[in-house]
Amino acid sequence: GPDGAGGATTALRARGGAGAPQQSPGGAAGGGPAEPTMVLRLKFLNDTERLARVRPGDTVGALKRAYFPGQEQQVRLIYQGQLLRDDAQSLAALHLAPNSVLHCHISQHSPAPAPAGPRTSADPVHTALNVGSLMLPLFVLMLAVLWYFQLQYRHVFTATATTFLAGLTLLFSFMAFTMYRR
């Protein structure tokens, strides 16, 4: 539930804080006592902007956790037309310049109903497939009945009607063959 997600977020934030460059000897050796910070511009769909102060060593996930707590799963960050999918990727790897613009899209759907979403959207697809699979036998039956009547009551069918029926049968056979060959 939401309480569990909140607890996980705090745990992640606490763990991220423990690995900050000021406290880790590796970070101190690499970039001095504190890594330099830079400002990024987070731009939203409604044209509002928010400034984010980050370090090049921060990851995309850390940026989402810091500026969108509790909404990490719904936030999509886009930089130069590319969706930043990998939360473990560092900002330095993206070659972000200071004042770079990151476009932010916050989806209104919470991650909990996401598994239910595909199931409900798959239902119309399955019904469409079922209707589609019924169409073939229906057309075969209809053509068979028409051919039966054509052979039993030949005097009722004109030459045009017989030609049309033969053309329809050929067209249907060709379409069925190309559909089921895939």
Side-chain angles (χ1 to χ4, degrees), residues 29-109:
E35 231 180 322
T37 61
M38 65 178 174
V39 173
L40 297 178
R41 290 163 49 205
L42 304 177
K43 191 166 188 170
F44 297 89
L45 290 176
N46 60 3
D47 280 337
T48 58
E49 275 191 21
R50 190 170 157 192
L51 297 180
R53 186 166 293 281
V54 297
R55 293 186 173 87
D58 289 348
T59 62
V60 173
L63 175 68
K64 285 182 183 179
R65 281 192 298 277
Y67 289 92
F68 306 97
Q71 293 183 304
E72 298 90 356
Q73 298 302 314
Q74 292 116 294
V75 173
R76 303 280 175 267
L77 297 176
I78 299 156
Y79 177 61
Q80 292 183 341
Q82 299 264 321
L83 178 63
L84 307 181
R85 286 190 179 88
D86 185 9
D87 280 358
Q89 187 176 32
S90 74
L91 299 176
L94 296 169
H95 307 294
L96 293 168
N99 286 321
S100 294
V101 174
L102 283 177
H103 292 275
C104 305
H105 174 259
I106 301 174
S107 138
Q108 296 307 311
H109 307 293

